[in-house]
Amino acid sequence: MSTYYVNEAAFGLPGGHLVDRTETRLSVASGDGGPITLTVHRQPLPPGESLSAVVAKGRQQAGRSLPSHVVLFQRDVEMASLPAIEIAAEWRDEGQPVYTRQAHVVLDGVWLIFAGNVPIAERPRCDALMMRLVSSFQRHG
């Protein structure tokens, strides 16, 4: 039996090894306008893969699966002194333009993806939120 911990509790699960592939959605009030949905994905970094390789594969998949997907920029940054990658892209959802801003970082073998998706008109608010996230990111423990 393995014990799994969440913020509010812990519980037992059968089996000896758990793989955490948590996805958290936060509704963030940010400036004027409605809340921005921030999604936090976590999953193990595949063995033998680098952050840049998994991000490149994710870009390729988005290019195949999201209509009119265009990467606006990709840049190397640091989050808590760790190498990280930021990406901004546009695509269409049911014909409407969408803006995506992501930050990718690996912490103790876990690939963390922070993603904000907003209508294109909300791009400045999403950029401000993601810049704040990247600059304030801290390691715990």
Side-chain angles (χ1 to χ4, degrees):
M1 170 121 41
S2 296
T3 302
Y4 185 78
Y5 296 86
V6 296
N7 289 349
E8 298 81 8
F11 50 89
L13 295 171
H17 181 70
L18 301 173
V19 177
D20 187 349
R21 297 181 188 277
T22 306
E23 182 176 300
T24 303
R25 292 183 187 268
L26 304 170
S27 183
V28 182
S30 173
D32 295 335
I36 296 173
T37 299
L38 175 67
T39 306
V40 182
H41 304 266
R42 58 179 287 127
Q43 59 188 334
L45 185 68
E49 294 277 358
S50 67
L51 178 61
S52 59
V54 293
V55 168
K57 287 178 185 176
R59 280 183 57 176
Q60 291 172 351
Q61 181 179 353
R64 288 189 304 268
S65 63
L66 299 174
S68 303
H69 184 266
V70 176
V71 174
L72 303 174
F73 68 77
Q74 176 175 326
R75 60 184 170 220
D76 294 332
V77 296
E78 284 190 354
M79 294 172 66
S81 299
L82 297 168
I85 299 173
E86 278 190 295
I87 297 175
E90 292 179 1
W91 54 285
R92 292 196 167 280
D93 183 22
E94 297 181 7
Q96 299 301 310
V98 175
Y99 177 71
T100 299
R101 179 86 175 251
Q102 300 175 353
H104 301 254
V105 66
V106 176
L107 184 59
D108 299 328
V110 176
W111 174 22
L112 298 169
I113 307 166
F114 302 89
N117 292 314
V118 295
I120 199 75
E122 298 291 321
R123 178 180 174 171
R125 292 179 56 234
C126 186
D127 283 341
L129 173 70
M130 293 301 293
M131 286 188 288
R132 171 82 173 131
L133 184 151
V134 168
S135 69
S136 65
F137 182 83
Q138 301 174 39
R139 298 178 71 150
H140 286 272

